[in-house]
Amino acid sequence: MREIPHWIDGTEVAGTGDRRLPVYDPATGERQAEVVAATGPEVRAAVRSAAAAQPGWRAASLSRRAEVMFRFRDLVDANRKEIATLLSAEHGKTVADAAGEVARGLENVEFATGAPHLLKGGYSEQAATGVDVYSIRQPLGVVAGITPFNFPAMVPMWMFCTALVAGNTFVLKPSEKDPSVSLLLADLLRRAGLPDGAFNVVQGDRSAVEALIADPDIAALSFVGSTPVARSIYEAGTRAGKRVQALGGAKNHMVVLPDADVDAAADAAVSAGFGSAGERCMAVSVVVAVGSVADRLVEAIAERIGRIRVGPASDPDAEMGPLITGEHRDRVRSYLDQPGGRVVVDGRTLPDADGPGFFLGPSLVDHVATDSAYYLDEIFGPVLSVVRAETYDEAVALVNTCEYGNGTAIFTRDGGAARRFQYDVVCGMVGVNVPIPVPVAYYSFGGWKASLFGDLHMYGPDGLAFYTRTKVVTSRWPDPATSEVDLGFPKVR
């Protein structure tokens, strides 16, 4: 059985632990590899390697750091197909979907190449007589990222590109369910000229995360995953004195007003609800149909679902692949037996839904009650719920009273309603006729409420702020002849 190693100090390192975690082929259900879960000493070795490399990497010029990011960007671009193919083999998403993930990750690499400009501080000449004041941004030191299974290439690039270009060194703990892409990215960073030890990968599960949280040399932690785990990591990390950004779960609402283009809204709901088998934190999981649009919209969505081709990544015509594991597939399936809604399209009827692979067809549930599991839980699979609302105000209230505040969208032809919606909703990311409003790389990604723990969002300007700290320097070069003792409060006039 193929064993997936760690990456420490610029090379692959075989695991020595006695716990082995399965990596499946989601299309067949077969165990294709094993992760040898990192031991405490192995995690410590990765952190020590990063700590040893950090002073030299911090001392590298901004131009040098940006040059490494430029080279890494070109290498990722040249190896898109290999990355996407490896990713889809372990995750199950189609190769085309995986390629799209790589493309969005590349945007973050490109943003990071602008660090020489983005890391500029401020300067105030003559803040007081003969005194200048200026601010500079400096790296934190060794930082760590804990990333989810659903985006094994993109989410790590959200984190480490910004962290590295700011002068930090990085330890990545990828998901144990699809970990191989992390090693390919590590090798591309090495080939791009990143010094050995500046980027390390430890494979494993919760025990590796706990070791990173406890390690005194880790200055900051970034996490993307479910809300319960995000809350736990935030609390444990901040208790340990670390800076933490922890992105949690979502229940993204797509509000469709009566004046919306029904065909466009149905296309968007299906695309955003079932892409990557619904295993996206920005997937639309609730369509809020307002007033008279509901029947027409449900009919249009159901008709489109019937045309979705579900199959393995090896099928070039497949539009949706399997779920990540059999356990997760069974959990998602179980919702279709729940009360609180009328199942219009049942994904369990797919011929392969009971086969060896982890397939489940797309499902549509109408007349969903807001106190049901369909509505309250983050299902994280291809189950799209439709909640009917009588008015715009009722629809907005649903978004605003939801526990989560990751993303939301409105579909309408009314510019005034759209403007009012983006003002009214309590949510971190808003789409207007855009179903998945993931910000471009020069903005930042993150939700509100139980979708984010911490003060700063991920990547973009917030990412640079998270991975740096500001130092303010007050400078004076006086004539020695004018020096004197003055115990009064410092003057600026």
Side-chain angles (χ1 to χ4, degrees), residues 256 262-263 265-266 269-270 287-306 342-345 364-368 384-388:
V256 183
V262 171
D263 286 333
V270 171
V287 172
V288 182
V290 180
S292 60
V293 78
D295 288 341
R296 291 178 293 139
L297 182 60
V298 169
E299 181 181 352
I301 292 173
E303 188 272 330
R304 284 160 173 77
I305 290 176
R342 180 171 66 86
V343 178
V344 177
V345 179
L364 177 65
V365 186
D366 192 11
H367 295 283
V368 166
L384 183 62
S385 299
V386 177
V387 174
R388 296 179 179 231

Side-chain angles (χ1 to χ4, degrees), residues 392-393 396-397 399-400 408-410 412 414-432 448-449:
Y392 165 88
D393 288 336
V396 171
V399 178
N400 289 352
T408 189
I410 187 169
T412 180
D414 186 336
R419 173 65 173 77
R420 181 183 171 192
F421 182 78
Q422 62 88 24
Y423 181 84
D424 287 343
V425 291
V426 182
C427 200
M429 293 170 282
V430 181
V432 176
W448 292 2
K449 297 186 282 188

Side-chain angles (χ1 to χ4, degrees), residues 158-333:
W158 283 3
M159 299 176 184
F160 70 70
C161 295
T162 308
L164 288 171
V165 82
N168 302 281
T169 52
F170 201 91
V171 179
L172 173 65
K173 205 299 286 182
S175 170
E176 66 277 14
K177 295 179 176 67
D178 48 7
S180 294
V181 168
S182 64
L183 299 173
L184 179 51
L185 294 176
D187 188 55
L188 296 181
L189 284 167
R190 178 192 62 79
R191 290 165 57 187
L194 188 71
D196 292 347
F199 182 79
N200 300 273
V201 179
V202 289
Q203 310 288 1
D205 53 10
R206 179 175 178 173
S207 62
V209 173
E210 291 172 346
L212 289 170
I213 292 172
D215 197 294
D217 287 331
I218 296 290
L221 289 161
S222 297
F223 171 83
V224 175
S226 69
T227 285
V229 180
R231 181 182 286 110
S232 173
I233 286 176
Y234 179 77
E235 292 173 352
T238 52
R239 231 179 2 251
K242 304 182 191 307
R243 184 178 291 188
V244 183
Q245 56 178 184
L247 276 61
K251 198 70 179 179
N252 304 313
H253 294 63
M254 174 177 149
V255 175
V256 183
L257 297 187
D259 72 321
D261 182 317
V262 171
D263 286 333
D267 287 342
V270 171
S271 300
F274 302 117
S276 197
E279 294 174 323
R280 293 173 174 166
C281 66
M282 287 296 284
V284 167
S285 53
V286 178
V287 172
V288 182
V290 180
S292 60
V293 78
D295 288 341
R296 291 178 293 139
L297 182 60
V298 169
E299 181 181 352
I301 292 173
E303 188 272 330
R304 284 160 173 77
I305 290 176
R307 301 200 303 262
I308 296 174
R309 184 179 178 94
V310 179
S314 58
D315 180 355
D317 296 323
E319 298 170 287
M320 189 184 106
L323 279 74
I324 186 72
T325 65
E327 180 183 16
H328 183 56
R329 187 268 314 272
D330 293 344
R331 174 185 170 275
V332 174
R333 281 173 59 107

Side-chain angles (χ1 to χ4, degrees), residues 133-147:
V133 179
Y134 57 94
S135 63
I136 54 179
R137 286 197 171 276
Q138 294 184 333
L140 303 178
V142 181
V143 299
I146 302 155
T147 56

Side-chain angles (χ1 to χ4, degrees), residues 90-109:
E90 291 185 351
H91 177 276
K93 66 177 68 175
T94 66
V95 175
D97 192 6
E101 173 184 341
V102 175
R104 291 307 300 265
L106 268 173
E107 293 179 13
N108 295 96
V109 188

